[in-house]
Amino acid sequence: MLGLSYGAVSLALEALGVYLCKSSVYAAVQAAVEKVPGLKRSQVFAGMRRPALGSDVTAVKCNGEWLLMGLTVDDTTG
């Protein structure tokens, strides 16, 4: 719903010190969806000015150390 892949959520949580693999993120999302029937993306982001905001997170190896890198883009203006 926020535009992040399950893998990106896993990496972002890991950066915060919480390890949760992609399949566990998926299971948590599915469990949350079942508890909120009828929830629509438009309801969650109704007050947002930039509904086309996209983002993702990945890990890159730099000088032997894994670093997290995030990218956010406003798809309507670039």
Side-chain angles (χ1 to χ4, degrees), residues 8-22:
V9 171
S10 176
L11 287 169
L13 288 173
E14 185 177 337
L16 297 172
V18 178
Y19 177 75
L20 204 61
C21 66
K22 291 188 290 188

Side-chain angles (χ1 to χ4, degrees):
M1 194 174 262
L2 296 175
L4 290 174
S5 66
Y6 297 120
V9 171
S10 176
L11 287 169
L13 288 173
E14 185 177 337
L16 297 172
V18 178
Y19 177 75
L20 204 61
C21 66
K22 291 188 290 188
S23 58
S24 294
V25 171
Y26 175 82
V29 169
Q30 297 309 308
V33 167
E34 289 177 8
K35 293 180 181 181
V36 188
L39 181 65
K40 302 289 183 202
R41 182 183 297 222
S42 59
Q43 294 169 326
V44 173
F45 296 109
M48 300 278 298
R49 290 184 175 184
R50 291 196 161 89
L53 187 67
S55 62
D56 204 358
V57 179
T58 190
V60 293
K61 199 168 193 177
C62 182
N63 293 329
E65 182 181 349
W66 284 100
L67 303 172
L68 292 178
M69 181 172 62
L71 176 68
T72 304
V73 178
D74 179 353
D75 293 337
T76 57
T77 64

